Amino acid sequence: MTIDGKYALVASPTDEAQAADAQLRELHEFVDLKDAECVIALGGDGFMLQTLHQMLADNQIKPIFGMNLGTVGFLMNEWRPHGLEERLSKAKTFSVTPLRMDAVTVDGDTVTSPAINEVSLLRETRQTAKLEVTAGENVVIEELVCDGVIVATPAGSTAYNLSARGPILPMGSNLLALTPISPFRPRRWRGAILPDKTRIAFRVLEPLKRPVSAVADQREVRDVATVEVRLDTSLTLSLMFDPEHALDERIAREQFIA
């Protein structure tokens, strides 16, 4: 197998990623994204999410193989310039279904955005947020007083969700994590694990006094009044990993890291 003429190459603007980009281009020929069968992404997790969102926006969804030239690189493979053809031929592919966030601002504007890792609601000021929480057709919490709340996919459960002490969700579990950030009332509520078909909705109480922003991965919408989150089954993303670095195994191992 040769990658020449089949793959696109994209890189983060950092010096390290740009140097790796130049090194790979000396070894292989690459094509534009629209003509590619697969995309090789050089950077960190943030750049991977940025690239996935750009593919969704351009309706150019292709399998993607990332190599880490960032910090954590949880969604990335190890950076190695040589042996790329063999790695791609042996790569294990995982399908990821993003969330869809529909946010309505206090001014009545509606913003829709996909989220691969999570949708977060966050207080904008020193005052806590007050949120009504609906799961399915039922109001499950009439008033959640907190710094914020997260809806995370399995792929995103080891990111912000884990930092907020949310549960790690195995790939293929068909579950979502609903995790509060610094909950004040109900004080003992630590979140919920829900079937991924569940519609999760939030209504901001006192939105002018206690403004809240909604963030879908990296896209922020400020001063929201209501936010609805659900799995977008019309979209499927494919992430490729070295067999010894597979995403499902990495997520599972995170449960045993002290």
Side-chain angles (χ1 to χ4, degrees), residues 97-99 115-118 151-158 169 175-177 231:
T97 302
L99 299 169
I116 296 151
N117 271 0
E118 75 274 317
V151 181
T153 65
S157 66
T158 58
L169 303 177
L175 297 171
L176 298 175
L231 205 66

Side-chain angles (χ1 to χ4, degrees), residues 45 74 117-118 150 152-165:
D45 289 333
F74 195 85
N117 271 0
E118 75 274 317
I150 301 167
T153 65
S157 66
T158 58
Y160 191 11
N161 172 72
L162 182 59
S163 297
R165 299 185 180 276

Side-chain angles (χ1 to χ4, degrees), residues 15-238:
D15 291 343
E16 189 175 5
Q18 289 297 309
D21 178 282
Q23 189 174 358
L24 281 183
R25 291 186 186 279
E26 289 181 358
L27 297 172
H28 306 285
E29 292 183 4
F30 295 94
V31 298
D32 291 337
L33 177 61
K34 62 182 177 61
D35 300 318
E37 295 179 3
C38 178
V39 178
I40 297 167
L42 307 177
D45 289 333
F47 182 71
M48 171 64 84
L49 290 175
Q50 178 184 329
T51 302
L52 290 168
H53 277 275
Q54 191 61 55
M55 288 197 297
L56 288 170
D58 296 341
N59 196 29
Q60 292 283 346
I61 301 175
K62 309 291 175 73
I64 186 165
F65 182 91
M67 287 194 280
N68 186 31
L69 288 151
T71 305
V72 178
F74 195 85
L75 298 174
M76 315 297 279
N77 298 280
E78 181 183 348
W79 157 247
R80 298 197 302 269
H82 300 288
L84 188 55
E85 297 93 336
E86 183 179 1
R87 293 175 72 185
L88 292 168
S89 68
K90 294 180 177 179
K92 188 175 179 181
T93 300
F94 292 87
S95 295
V96 175
T97 302
L99 299 169
R100 170 181 166 135
M101 179 188 78
D102 293 299
V104 180
T105 69
V106 294
D107 292 331
D109 297 325
T110 299
V111 179
T112 297
S113 181
I116 296 151
N117 271 0
E118 75 274 317
V119 172
S120 308
L121 274 70
L122 306 167
R123 66 182 174 98
E124 295 181 7
T125 67
R126 60 181 177 80
Q127 291 185 298
T128 56
K130 289 187 176 182
L131 307 170
E132 178 191 82
V133 183
T134 297
E137 301 303 321
N138 301 313
V139 174
V140 290
I141 301 179
E142 293 185 356
E143 184 178 88
L144 172 61
V145 184
C146 57
D147 281 354
V149 65
I150 301 167
V151 181
T153 65
S157 66
T158 58
Y160 191 11
N161 172 72
L162 182 59
S163 297
R165 299 185 180 276
I168 294 174
L169 303 177
M171 290 295 294
S173 62
N174 299 321
L175 297 171
L176 298 175
L178 177 61
T179 302
I181 304 170
S182 301
F184 180 68
R185 290 288 188 275
R187 188 179 295 274
R188 295 185 180 179
W189 187 64
R190 291 296 178 262
I193 297 174
L194 301 170
D196 63 7
K197 294 182 175 60
T198 306
R199 166 189 168 270
I200 303 171
F202 306 95
R203 183 169 67 91
V204 180
L205 309 176
E206 305 178 33
L208 298 180
K209 180 181 179 182
R210 302 170 184 271
V212 171
S213 64
V215 184
D217 287 341
Q218 301 164 334
R219 183 179 184 186
E220 181 182 21
V221 182
R222 295 185 67 82
D223 301 330
V224 296
T226 62
V227 177
E228 182 175 301
V229 182
R230 65 176 70 213
L231 205 66
D232 191 344
T233 55
S234 69
L235 299 174
T236 301
L237 298 165
S238 297

Side-chain angles (χ1 to χ4, degrees), residues 6-19:
K6 294 183 178 181
Y7 290 80
L9 179 64
V10 294
S12 165
T14 65
D15 291 343
E16 189 175 5
Q18 289 297 309

